Amino acid sequence: MTTGLTYLEVQKHLEQLKLTQVQVVLDRLAEEASRRQWSYIEFLGKLLEEEMAARQERRLAVKQRLAHFPWVKTLDQFDFSFQPSIDEKKVRELATLRFVEQAEVVLLTGPPGVGKTHLAIGLGLEAVRAGYSVYFITLSELADQVPPDRTDPRWAERLRVLSHPRLLIIDEVGYVPLSPIVSYFVFSLVCRRYEKGAMIWTSNKGFADWAGVFAGDEVLTAAILDRLLHHSTVINIRGRSYRLQDKLRAGTISAPTAAATQPGERE
Ligand code: ADP
Ligand code: MG
């Protein structure tokens, strides 16, 4: 006795129901089912499992694209033994994402090449995998998006967009000094997100030098730092540049040159 359904019809139904992963794995799993004598329910269960897993992957891929990471590296790819000034336990604690849930702030500071952006992206990826919305932006990119006039409707729109993600990563505070109007925008953004949305900030400058970034405005800078530091984890990385280490190993540059270009580094 037969159901009368042909293979082609089954495939058509799967297509109409958008069970695209079932379509892909049907042949393999049908063959496996008969070889291993799975029950019908087991077979159906396996097919649905595959479909659910593929959908989860697709959702994550979309979230990861929306996060706008400049490149992707995980926390597992971070070599903590290279950077002993980082308390690995602190980073592992951050990776539990309690700071995201509690709308707290992570500040990563240190000289170029010590892994600030890598750690920020690694934590961002963990948040994406946990289903949070994440957005990564450098401070200079952000500055370029701020309209010069506060009454411009795009001002409120940008503020709204950047207030939205559960985790906002602002990279590279300190490389580009901001205008007074952009500094005020950043202050507004920090006020909006304060105790509402988690943030990770990275900077090559110590907090004492942040006023130089925010148009020399000491009062505004103090107000920004006050809110950022209130519920925060600060990781100050003091160590050698991983980028230079790579180059030294490859023989692209010689050790004295590397030392000369990194005066702030401990050897
Ligand atoms: P920063 O943002 O502090 O300037 P990055 O995070 O961009 O530094 O790191 C520079 C490069 O070196 C990146 O490719 C990063 O993945 C790598 N890197 C830095 N530190 C480490 C580390 N401890 N283990 C593995 N890779 C590292
Ligand atoms: Mg960086």
Side-chain angles (χ1 to χ4, degrees), residues 38-49:
W38 287 344
S39 70
Y40 297 122
I41 291 294
E42 254 182 311
F43 176 51
L44 180 62
K46 294 272 188 203
L47 288 174
L48 295 178
E49 237 171 43

Side-chain angles (χ1 to χ4, degrees), residues 43-182:
F43 176 51
L44 180 62
K46 294 272 188 203
L47 288 174
L48 295 178
E49 237 171 43
E50 290 270 355
E51 183 65 35
M52 305 266 287
R55 286 186 185 194
Q56 173 71 358
E57 275 299 310
R58 277 203 296 273
R59 264 197 301 274
L60 288 184
V62 168
K63 282 208 153 146
Q64 191 169 316
R65 253 201 322 279
L66 290 175
H68 191 244
F69 296 125
W71 34 271
V72 168
K73 278 197 190 170
T74 62
L75 290 179
D76 287 340
Q77 288 172 286
F78 195 83
D79 179 3
F80 285 93
S81 69
F82 181 82
Q83 215 58 267
S85 73
I86 302 174
D87 181 359
E88 183 174 351
K89 246 191 14 247
K90 231 182 193 180
V91 177
R92 296 281 160 221
E93 158 64 26
L94 291 172
T96 67
L97 305 174
R98 198 160 55 107
F99 82 98
V100 179
E101 205 43 51
Q102 302 192 339
E104 296 188 355
V105 176
V106 178
L107 292 137
L108 299 160
T109 62
V114 292
K116 302 181 298 295
T117 303
H118 186 148
L119 289 176
I121 291 173
L123 289 168
L125 273 173
E126 292 295 324
V128 165
R129 285 175 189 162
Y132 293 110
S133 53
V134 177
Y135 193 69
F136 180 108
I137 191 165
T138 65
L139 188 58
S140 62
E141 269 178 302
L142 186 152
D144 287 344
Q145 296 175 356
V146 175
D149 181 354
R150 267 169 64 190
T151 58
D152 188 324
R154 283 173 306 164
W155 175 286
E157 172 61 14
R158 281 321 298 162
L159 211 49
R160 199 185 58 73
V161 167
L162 292 170
S163 302
H164 182 70
R166 287 293 297 274
L167 172 61
L168 179 68
I169 302 173
I170 299 188
D171 197 27
E172 298 190 343
V173 176
Y175 288 114
V176 180
L178 306 178
S179 66
I181 190 79
V182 172

